[in-house]
Amino acid sequence: MAAYLLRRLLLVIPTLFGIIAINFAVMQFAPGGPVEQMIAELKGHGGSAIGRLSGEGAREAGGGSYRGASGLDPHIVADIRRMFGFDKPPLTRFWLMLKGYLHFDFGRSFFRDQTVWQLILSRMPVSISIGLWSTLLVYLISIPLGISKAVRDGSRFDFVSSAVVLVGYAVPGFLLAILLMVLFAGGSFVQWFPMRGLTSSGSAAWPWPARIGDYLWHMVLPTVALVVGGFASLTMLTKNCFLDEIRKQYVLTARAKGATEHRVLYGHVFRNAMLLIVAGFPAAFVGILFSSALLVEIVFSLNGLGLLGYEATIQRDYPVIFGTLYIFTLLGLLMQIVGDMMYTVVDPRIDFARR
């Protein structure tokens, strides 16, 4: 198993390199980069953008280098390209970026006065909080519901719950988030929950029980929006896994020996049926954390990694884009390895090293 784990860890390196390289190449052809945005800002707002330049470029811009239809002075454009590092060839910039990534140096944001690592660390708790609570609730709801549907397969309960699951699966999380905001956050009806953020203004000075209650109060709507869209597929997976196991020969043998239905279901079927479900927990967490939560963070203005990546993409803040992409990809690959290890924990008969 140690050799298998080492091989999987070594495979992370070329996979990570390939993903970063492909996205870096795509970004080179994307229109409207940071240089173009700065030039447009200088043309449109003149003095408000001059302070963002440095040295000779700022002095020339202040001296009226924008000349109407003739555009900016070429020296100003060169200074802007130098400020963002675009005076170097693409391959040079790529290798400098990889060199920094080896020791988690992602550089500084183009449009925020912070390093990328500081931005990621400040937003990470919000995304982890949303992803963890949502994943736990999805599992707590889906597993008992899936087991009940498998035991009562074909009953009225199974039919009604399947309809509810189908509706939950069909409604996108961000659309449900907007609906919840309109209904329960003061949009058009009642204001039972806050509209945005994870804490109330001034809550830092409150006693800790009040701060915990305020945090949970803010978490209700975002978590519900993620859970409703996420529990459907897991519920059906749980049901199908249990149905598949219930029909096997060892279950008939256990019942023939006089084992109670509870003993058969939770003593024999449960462990085998839960193999895929438990082992898939890391992947489910990553999926909610890095994909499902993105639009929900935007709707509720939650300062997580999803909102950070979205804002960076809109602004063409390349260091933040590639820094968050690097963290997302690295965590995703590591979670896949953790998921494989979970298989061996749930069922010791599985040995990846021998396959």
Side-chain angles (χ1 to χ4, degrees):
M1 182 57 68
Y4 171 79
L5 181 60
L6 180 60
R7 288 197 302 269
R8 288 296 303 273
L9 290 174
L10 290 176
L11 278 174
V12 169
I13 299 174
T15 306
L16 197 59
F17 173 82
I19 293 173
I20 294 296
I22 291 172
N23 282 274
F24 183 86
V26 170
M27 282 295 181
Q28 304 313 302
F29 299 100
V35 174
E36 289 77 10
Q37 289 198 16
M38 178 62 78
I39 292 174
E41 189 174 347
L42 281 172
K43 289 180 178 180
H45 303 287
S48 65
I50 292 173
R52 297 171 68 174
L53 297 174
S54 58
E56 187 65 26
R59 289 193 293 273
E60 290 181 8
S65 292
Y66 177 57
R67 298 166 296 178
S70 60
L72 289 173
D73 190 293
H75 296 290
I76 300 299
V77 177
D79 188 75
I80 294 174
R81 294 181 63 85
R82 190 180 310 111
M83 180 178 67
F84 290 119
F86 283 85
D87 56 325
K88 302 179 181 65
L91 283 179
T92 303
R93 287 186 280 115
F94 179 69
W95 289 114
L96 289 174
M97 182 181 72
L98 288 182
K99 184 179 178 181
Y101 281 13
L102 291 177
H103 51 276
F104 290 90
D105 179 11
F106 305 123
R108 295 188 67 85
S109 169
F110 286 160
F111 303 105
R112 296 177 175 89
D113 190 23
Q114 285 181 288
T115 64
V116 177
W117 189 237
Q118 288 173 333
L119 288 169
I120 291 175
L121 288 180
S122 65
R123 304 294 185 94
M124 183 74 79
V126 176
S127 292
I128 291 179
S129 177
I130 297 172
L132 188 59
W133 283 116
S134 301
T135 307
L136 288 175
L137 284 176
V138 164
Y139 269 73
L140 289 175
I141 295 172
S142 300
I143 292 176
L145 180 59
I147 295 174
S148 298
K149 285 174 63 63
V151 173
R152 307 177 192 178
D153 183 40
S155 66
R156 180 178 297 179
F157 171 81
D158 183 39
F159 176 78
V160 173
S161 59
S162 294
V164 174
V165 167
L166 182 62
V167 172
Y169 184 76
V171 177
F174 76 93
L175 185 61
L176 180 61
I178 296 173
L179 179 62
L180 291 174
M181 181 179 291
V182 171
L183 293 177
F184 303 112
S188 300
F189 295 89
V190 297
Q191 190 169 4
W192 293 346
F193 300 98
M195 184 175 292
R196 62 187 61 203
L198 282 183
T199 56
S200 300
S201 178
S203 62
W206 298 354
W208 67 266
R211 291 202 303 269
I212 294 176
D214 179 67
Y215 162 76
L216 295 176
W217 183 45
H218 282 77
M219 282 291 297
V220 170
L221 294 186
T223 304
V224 169
L226 290 174
V227 169
V228 170
F231 84 99
S233 58
L234 185 60
T235 299
M236 298 309 297
L237 176 63
T238 304
K239 175 188 174 181
N240 293 333
C241 288
F242 268 78
L243 281 178
D244 185 56
E245 292 295 324
I246 287 173
R247 294 165 181 163
K248 289 185 176 179
Q249 186 65 40
Y250 74 90
V251 175
L252 297 176
T253 304
R255 287 172 174 165
K257 291 181 177 180
T260 63
E261 192 64 23
H262 186 275
R263 174 65 180 170
V264 170
L265 190 61
Y266 293 99
H268 298 279
V269 176
F270 186 83
R271 180 166 182 166
N272 294 325
M274 292 299 293
L275 176 60
L276 289 176
I277 300 165
V278 174
F281 181 86
F285 173 70
V286 171
I288 291 178
L289 181 61
F290 295 141
S291 57
S292 303
L294 169 60
L295 294 176
V296 173
E297 287 183 9
I298 295 172
V299 171
F300 289 103
S301 298
L302 303 175
N303 289 323
L305 289 175
L307 184 59
L308 175 65
Y310 171 77
E311 293 173 345
T313 304
I314 295 299
Q315 297 175 338
R316 298 297 193 272
D317 197 344
Y318 289 159
V320 178
I321 292 174
F322 290 121
T324 53
L325 175 66
Y326 182 84
I327 294 297
F328 287 172
T329 307
L330 181 61
L331 286 179
L333 293 173
L334 293 178
M335 283 297 183
Q336 286 182 354
I337 298 175
V338 172
D340 285 349
M341 297 300 104
M342 290 288 290
Y343 278 105
T344 62
V345 173
V346 176
D347 191 348
R349 296 172 299 176
I350 296 177
D351 187 2
F352 289 105
R354 297 178 57 188
R355 301 191 62 175

